[in-house]
Amino acid sequence: MNYGEIKNCDIANGEGVRVTLFVSGCTNHCEHCFQPQTWDFGYGQPFTAETEEQLLAMLQPGYINGLTLLGGEPMEPENQRALLPFVRRVREAYPGKTVWCFSGFTWEELHTEGSHPKCEVTEELLRLIDVLVDGRFVEALKDISLRFRGSGNQRIIDVPAALERGEIVLWDR
């Protein structure tokens, strides 16, 4: 997996102050995407053991609320496979910090057998995520007043509650 950017002290992509990893690769190709260069799976730099260590160190300070995954598309199957071991490490090292994920794929797509994003690691990765912002960006539904979303079709899902109830539960903080 490659990544395009890492942001330390990000306040735009999730609640609180976050460390943000922009992964490379996306097959959604949303019209007017804010980062079309990240559609290319080869864009940026390789995600290495050194990258993981750098991110873990950035997450250490008490004022950092957690990690945000976006892109590109973190829920592309090849990206899920690369992210799963890293997110496990984040959870082990920082159990009190949250993990947010922004995906153009919907909750339903991520749970449907045979859909493009659903693979052998999807369920485990979702169990490690606290909040999923789902849905493709839709220019016709663009709304700059929405918190943590670009268009009105996108949802902010409380993943642990949704998994427990077996239905979508919106995050409401």
Side-chain angles (χ1 to χ4, degrees):
M1 180 181 81
N2 279 12
Y3 70 96
E5 186 177 3
I6 293 171
K7 287 187 178 180
N8 197 4
C9 297
D10 184 357
I11 58 169
N13 294 302
E15 189 174 47
V17 181
R18 314 193 64 74
V19 172
T20 305
L21 172 65
F22 291 82
V23 302
S24 297
C26 182
T27 58
N28 287 323
H29 297 188
C30 299
E31 187 176 358
H32 301 289
C33 171
F34 80 106
Q35 297 232 79
Q37 69 275 19
T38 65
W39 296 351
D40 179 355
F41 285 85
Y43 175 76
Q45 303 172 58
F47 186 76
T48 64
E50 291 78 19
T51 310
E52 286 191 20
E53 294 305 321
Q54 175 189 6
L55 286 162
L56 288 167
M58 288 177 170
L59 285 162
Q60 194 273 331
Y63 61 85
I64 298 292
N65 295 82
L67 173 70
T68 296
L69 306 169
L70 42 97
E73 177 56 67
M75 298 309 283
E76 288 288 351
E78 46 270 80
N79 290 341
Q80 291 182 55
R81 292 178 187 110
L83 287 169
L84 178 60
F86 171 63
V87 177
R88 281 185 197 133
R89 289 186 69 199
V90 171
R91 285 299 197 192
E92 259 181 48
Y94 305 111
K97 297 188 188 257
T98 59
V99 177
W100 281 52
C101 179
F102 286 73
S103 177
F105 297 115
T106 64
W107 180 262
E108 292 81 5
E109 288 173 302
L110 292 168
H111 286 88
T112 300
E113 291 297 331
S115 70
H116 170 71
K118 174 88 162 111
C119 70
E120 74 282 357
V121 302
T122 304
E123 290 178 23
E124 184 179 355
L125 184 57
L126 284 170
R127 284 193 304 270
L128 297 172
I129 293 170
D130 296 289
V131 177
L132 175 71
V133 181
D134 84 332
R136 289 160 182 80
F137 172 75
V138 177
E139 179 70 27
L141 300 174
K142 182 178 180 177
D143 183 346
I144 61 169
S145 72
L146 296 172
R147 191 170 183 212
F148 305 127
R149 298 172 288 160
S151 59
N153 61 299
Q154 296 171 313
R155 303 172 291 190
I156 305 175
I157 299 171
D158 180 332
V159 175
L163 291 173
E164 184 178 316
R165 290 192 196 166
E167 63 185 19
I168 291 174
V169 177
L170 298 179
W171 180 82
D172 65 356
R173 284 186 221 150

